[in-house]
């Protein structure tokens, strides 16, 4: 009786691994093409750090004419939640990051290297486990959880490393005959890897991001197939990334310390190991303490947060690229109008320690991204967001033609308006252009330098009666405000006022402010000329009358 007999007893139906090696051949890709994957577990929460990894992995594949695929790692069925896969697939879609291969809905997939859901790959893992057993490189372990616990206690008492290794690995040396008998007797078991490693030897590993790292060899006989017949993460990683022909494993740096084990698994399975790039987590400054963005404490840790807030997809992606490669910022400054896809992303230039998440900066990028959009794009994005999150805004946007005129204010020129950082701010930023909204609440007019009620009333009346005309071009429009200022005894030029402050009550800018506040009840708005053009004389007049009434 030998290892082969034992392997056949345990996995009688498993295929020979040559079947899978042929079924999933090396990919036929151009030289230098990189194959990457995003491999989340469907636990119901897509972390911004996950999206960050996916963005980096996708970027690298795209740049080299390679493949980026999505694999669902659902072998820990206790942690799985309903709709977990849909959540992952939709998050990638929401960020225009749909994979080239892999899961595209909860149940459907594309690509020739599937199934891309680990729970559907049971027979593949078993074939490779069978192969290892037949080589004497894996074995059935009959230790119960209680025995495992006992071993651990003894190790702690003896002050040695815990785990299943060396002399502590009780089932490692069970003879084939003995194991055979136990299995025939119906004893339950799991499958462990028989590690050839020694803790007192070192391995050198060169990580693309972390650089050179030294580790002791792995000597733990880790579980490869669990009692439920599914593989552990480690084993599935080796089998899947080999058969899916991943060239670069880009993942969170919590896995860095598992590299010795993973390299060993690849070696014992006869696979060529992939290159590894371990990404540092996104950090948060919590009152001076740097800590990981936490699923429990930080709403911005969830990818869904960005969608709900309406932070533009491209702002989030640019921001992530910005923390991925610190050279991005300079590149963006030098190339304000290029698509971010043109940025020459470098995996090996990612920072070794975790970048701090900065919401202020993200929203600032949001402002720039939105400022570069056409009115039509702003409209479409706002509409899409409103459909899901804001019925009132949705209503406001029903008159598309008018909305386009509102969004068109100060847009498409050299210095476009930069007042909107996310779609959830649109309503506030356009509200005053809608009469029903404007008149539905008591407006507070906070006049500034010119606060004299009589003066304000005079300015408004004079302006609408004598100076305003819908057909004036911008220069004429402004010249008229200057004239009005002069007629009322204010300086027509700011310069004049500054030269002789004693001679005037205020200047033309202050007169403009009165008009602006009476018109919108706000001190800050985009270009007033354009606002007036959209409102037209009758609506302007009505707003002035309302403002005058409010003075009394
Ligand atoms: N399922 C693993 C995780 O979510 C994937 C790690 C990897 O990318 O290999 O942490």
């Amino acid at each position: 009786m030998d290892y082969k007999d034992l392997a056949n007893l345990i996995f009688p139906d498993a295929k020979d691994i040559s079947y899978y090696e042929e079924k999933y051949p090396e990919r036929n890709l151009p030289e230098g093409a990189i194959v990457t994957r995003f491999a989340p577990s469907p636990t119901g929460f897509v972390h911004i750090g996950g999206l960050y990894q996916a963005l980096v992995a996708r970027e690298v594949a795209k740049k080299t004419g390679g493949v980026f695929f999505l694999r669902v790692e659902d072998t820990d069925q206790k942690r799985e939640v309903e709709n977990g896969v849909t959540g992952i697939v939709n998050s990638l879609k929401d960020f225009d990051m749909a994979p080239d291969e892999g899961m595209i809905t909860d149940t459907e997939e594309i690509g020739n290297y599937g199934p891309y859901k680990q729970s559907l790959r049971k027979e593949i893992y078993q074939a490779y486990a069978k192969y290892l057993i037949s080589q004497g490189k894996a074995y059935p372990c009959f230790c119960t959880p209680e025995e495992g616990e006992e071993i651990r206690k003894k190790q702690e008492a003896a002050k040695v490393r815990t785990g299943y290794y060396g002399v502590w690995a009780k089932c490692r040396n069970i003879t084939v005959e003995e194991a055979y008998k136990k299995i025939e007797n119906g004893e339950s078991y799991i499958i462990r890897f028989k590690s050839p490693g020694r803790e007192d030897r070192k391995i050198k590993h060169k990580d693309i991001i972390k650089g050179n790292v030294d580790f002791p060899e792995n000597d733990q006989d880790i579980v490869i197939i669990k009692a439920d017949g599914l593989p552990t993460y480690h084993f599935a990683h080796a089998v899947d990334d080999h058969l899916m022909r991943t060239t670069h494993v880009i993942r969170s740096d919590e896995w860095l310390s598992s590299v010795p084990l993973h390299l060993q698994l690849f070696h014992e399975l006869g696979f060529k190991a992939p290159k590894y790039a371990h990404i540092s987590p996104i950090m948060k400054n919590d009152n001076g303490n740097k800590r990981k963005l936490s699923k429990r404490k930080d709403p911005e840790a969830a990818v869904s947060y960005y969608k709900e807030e309406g932070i533009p997809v491209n702002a989030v992606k640019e921001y992530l690229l910005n923390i991925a490669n610190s050279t991005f910022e300079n590149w963006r400054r030098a190339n304000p109008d290029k698509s971010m896809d043109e940025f020459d992303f470098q995996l090996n230039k990612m920072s070794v320690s975790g970048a701090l998440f900065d919401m202020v900066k993200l929203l600032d990028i949001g402002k720039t991204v939105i400022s570069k959009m056409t009115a039509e794009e702003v409209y479409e994005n706002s509409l899409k967001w409103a459909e899901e999150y804001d019925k009132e805004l949705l209503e406001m946007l029903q008159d598309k033609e008018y909305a386009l005129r509102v969004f068109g204010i100060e847009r498409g020129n050299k210095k476009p308006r930069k007042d909107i950082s996310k779609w959830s701010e649109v309503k506030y930023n356009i509200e005053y252009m809608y009469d029903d909204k404007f008149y539905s609440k008591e407006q507070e007019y906070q006049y500034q330098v010119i606060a004299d009620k009589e003066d304000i009333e005079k300015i408004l009346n004079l302006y609408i009666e004598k100076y305003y005309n819908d057909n004036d071009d911008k220069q004429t429009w402004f010249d008229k405000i200057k004239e009005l200022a002069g007629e009322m005894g204010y300086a027509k030029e700011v310069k004049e006022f500054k030269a002789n402050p004693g001679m005037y009550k205020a200047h033309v800018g202050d007169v403009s402010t009165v008009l602006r506040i009476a018109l919108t009840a706000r001190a800050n708005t985009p270009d007033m000329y354009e606002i007036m053009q959209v409102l037209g004389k009758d609506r302007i007049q009505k707003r002035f009358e309302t403002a005058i009434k409010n003075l009394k």
Side-chain angles (χ1 to χ4, degrees), residues 45-103:
F45 183 94
V46 184
H47 195 285
I48 187 73
L51 190 78
Y52 178 51
Q53 287 161 31
L55 178 92
V56 167
R58 187 171 178 277
E59 194 71 20
V60 171
K62 288 263 168 269
K63 285 275 138 70
T64 57
V67 176
F68 166 67
F69 68 86
L70 172 63
R71 178 172 72 227
V72 170
E73 306 217 321
D74 59 344
T75 59
D76 189 352
Q77 304 205 307
K78 286 193 294 294
R79 286 174 61 216
E80 208 172 320
V81 299
E82 222 182 307
N83 295 328
V85 181
T86 310
I88 294 165
V89 167
N90 287 348
S91 295
L92 290 187
K93 264 194 221 147
D94 287 342
F95 285 88
D96 292 327
M97 281 166 51
D100 304 315
E101 266 179 28
M103 304 303 296

Side-chain angles (χ1 to χ4, degrees), residues 37-41 53 71 73 79 118 233 237 241 249-252 254-255:
R37 81 300 190 273
F38 178 41
S41 301
Q53 287 161 31
R71 178 172 72 227
E73 306 217 321
R79 286 174 61 216
Q118 289 183 329
Y233 165 72
H237 155 51
D241 282 315
V249 169
I250 299 173
R251 63 184 178 187
S252 145
E254 67 188 295
W255 298 110

